[in-house]
Amino acid sequence: MTVLKSARKTVNRCLFPLGLEVIRKDSHDSRDQSNFLPFERTIAAAERSGLSVGDYIDEVMNKQPGATQATIDGMMRLGVFARRITNVVEIGPGSGRYLEKTVAACSPTRYEVYETAAPWASYVKAKYNVILQPTDGQTLRATPDNSVDLVHAHKVFSSIPSLPTFIYWTEMARVCRNGGYAVFDILTEACLDLDTLQQWVDSGLDTGSYPAAMPRAIAVGYFSSRQFELVGTFVVPMTPGRTEVFVFRKA
Ligand SMILES: C[S@@+](CC[C@H](N)C(=O)[O-])C[C@H]1O[C@@H](n2cnc3c(N)ncnc32)[C@H](O)[C@@H]1O
């Protein structure tokens, strides 16, 4: 921890009873998961590296080249792109790294995003010509019932607390049409053992609600109770651990 950071912590401990907090004017609060990565710094660093922002996040930041494509390939193997997909909703696209590869895999005619981080939301809207829906952090209220072929979220439900995740699940079930897919990852017991727990502890991350864990049975049970069948799951890296991707199909 830097001297400045440690001084800020001490001052903030004193200010806490007054309900006040000192933050650096240009600082990015990594504990605030509704903000994603610092926008300008990440875009500039990607440009310097000569990589796309998505590849920069995979290769340089996460040291997992090809990680995003591996998830898309897993979805492909489980049949998500086997039938024509016209309407897609994505929750929390961030830089758009999954968005870009999803569009490449299925060329949808309509792609809606719900994203809380304002600069990233504007960025993906402009770069990928997608529909940015009003985002309240838990519902998909601008999307009609039974209207989308694919509703997905990547590394979002490991970032936010469980209640907004549960509410998003009800919304995913609502907007997905029969025969459509709901895809998301959660940090389940398949992704946690004592060594991995220690790796998270040793990571030094100061990231608020991330990584949030979730029992897999509750996801499987919930979607099964809403007319979905579990097509399959696969585990992908989420530094310094991993996360389980679920593919559900609505009957
Ligand atoms: C860990 S990032 C993952 C971003 C992207 N899906 C990826 O994997 O590169 C979580 C994303 O969800 C967004 N987010 C956080 N809370 C959200 C919420 N309640 N509703 C919608 N988006 C949210 C963040 O701004 C961020 O873009």
Side-chain angles (χ1 to χ4, degrees):
M1 193 183 309
T2 63
V3 175
L4 203 61
K5 215 170 172 187
S6 140
R8 196 166 63 232
K9 274 202 162 172
T10 309
V11 171
N12 279 335
R13 260 199 298 275
C14 301
L15 290 175
F16 183 76
L18 304 173
L20 300 172
E21 184 182 13
V22 173
I23 53 166
R24 265 176 71 144
K25 192 163 172 282
D26 67 342
S27 79
H28 175 80
D29 181 1
S30 58
R31 290 166 300 168
D32 178 3
Q33 288 297 321
S34 63
N35 258 333
F36 195 39
L37 300 169
F39 179 73
E40 279 91 5
R41 261 185 277 161
T42 308
I43 297 282
E47 263 169 26
R48 278 197 304 276
S49 74
L51 297 168
S52 70
V53 181
D55 287 347
Y56 173 78
I57 292 173
D58 276 353
E59 288 180 32
V60 181
M61 295 185 73
N62 295 345
K63 313 228 173 337
Q64 295 159 353
T68 303
Q69 188 59 46
T71 293
I72 302 293
D73 293 345
M75 290 165 65
M76 180 101 61
R77 272 196 303 279
L78 292 174
V80 173
F81 304 116
R83 288 218 329 239
R84 175 95 182 95
I85 289 195
T86 56
N87 289 25
V88 178
V89 166
E90 183 173 352
I91 303 164
S95 69
R97 63 183 172 142
Y98 292 92
L99 187 169
E100 182 174 69
K101 294 190 192 311
T102 301
V103 168
C106 66
S107 311
T109 48
R110 185 181 167 89
Y111 202 115
E112 300 171 37
V113 301
Y114 288 82
E115 170 57 68
T116 49
W120 289 105
S122 307
Y123 171 81
V124 293
K125 178 179 190 293
K127 185 166 169 77
Y128 299 105
N129 194 26
V130 294
I131 298 158
L132 172 60
Q133 297 289 26
T135 304
D136 61 18
Q138 51 189 11
T139 74
L140 307 174
R141 74 191 141 110
T143 306
D145 297 358
N146 305 311
S147 63
V148 307
D149 307 287
L150 169 63
V151 52
H152 63 154
H154 302 275
K155 317 277 168 67
V156 177
F157 301 147
S158 47
S159 303
I160 64 177
S162 50
L163 185 54
T165 291
F166 296 151
I167 297 172
Y168 269 135
W169 286 357
T170 69
E171 288 287 90
M172 292 172 95
R174 177 182 67 76
V175 302
C176 190
R177 61 167 58 126
N178 294 349
Y181 289 88
V183 178
F184 57 86
D185 65 286
I186 45 179
L187 196 160
T188 63
E189 53 274 45
C191 316
L192 265 187
D193 48 50
L194 297 185
D195 287 345
T196 311
L197 183 151
Q198 194 60 45
Q199 281 164 25
W200 283 109
V201 171
D202 295 341
S203 68
L205 288 171
D206 183 15
T207 44
S209 51
Y210 174 85
M214 180 70 72
R216 75 192 304 281
I218 202 73
V220 175
Y222 182 78
F223 279 87
S224 303
S225 76
R226 288 285 199 279
Q227 273 184 270
F228 284 79
E229 60 160 338
L230 177 62
V231 183
T233 77
F234 52 95
V235 172
V236 295
M238 188 167 75
T239 313
R242 50 198 192 276
T243 181
E244 185 172 8
V245 181
F246 287 72
V247 173
F248 290 101
R249 185 171 181 272
K250 196 169 182 181

